[in-house]
Amino acid sequence: MKDLKFEQKKSLSRLEAADLLSAIAAALRHGDGAELDFGPGTVSLRIPEELRSEIEIEVGDGQLELEVELKWPVPPAGTESPRPAAGSQDESSPD
């Protein structure tokens, strides 16, 4: 059994798909406490520095399928991910 599952299927224009991927990219850059807006609700995620990825492209039945999968461990309930020490600079901050 999964602790949480969110699934959304809908048709998108190419520009809407690009906007969705840009929002996911921004959440990945933000990392800890990143939020993704999925229409009627928002999903908050804690994204660590290191992820496992899988990219799959399948062609068949007159369709091309591009699947991008990102995985990372979820900390046990009641624990929080480590936060940068006070005064440390994260990668998204200008120098």
Side-chain angles (χ1 to χ4, degrees):
M1 177 155 108
K2 303 213 183 255
D3 292 334
L4 170 69
K5 181 174 181 176
F6 172 85
E7 192 171 288
Q8 183 181 62
K9 294 181 182 183
K10 64 180 181 177
S11 294
L12 301 172
S13 70
R14 188 178 69 230
L15 292 177
E16 289 170 327
D19 288 344
L20 175 61
L21 292 172
S22 292
I24 292 169
L28 287 167
R29 280 188 194 90
H30 186 267
D32 194 40
E35 291 191 352
L36 291 169
D37 184 13
F38 288 112
T42 300
V43 176
S44 295
L45 300 172
R46 293 185 184 272
I47 304 170
E49 291 296 319
E50 295 291 323
L51 311 169
R52 289 187 351 214
S53 69
E54 180 180 328
I55 298 175
E56 187 176 319
I57 299 174
E58 292 182 30
V59 180
D61 297 330
Q63 294 189 117
L64 184 139
E65 180 179 338
L66 168 63
E67 190 173 317
V68 178
E69 187 173 296
L70 301 172
K71 292 183 180 182
W72 61 89
V74 177
T79 62
E80 291 197 25
S81 60
R83 297 191 181 261
S88 69
Q89 189 174 16
D90 75 19
E91 294 176 15
S92 63
S93 298
D95 288 331

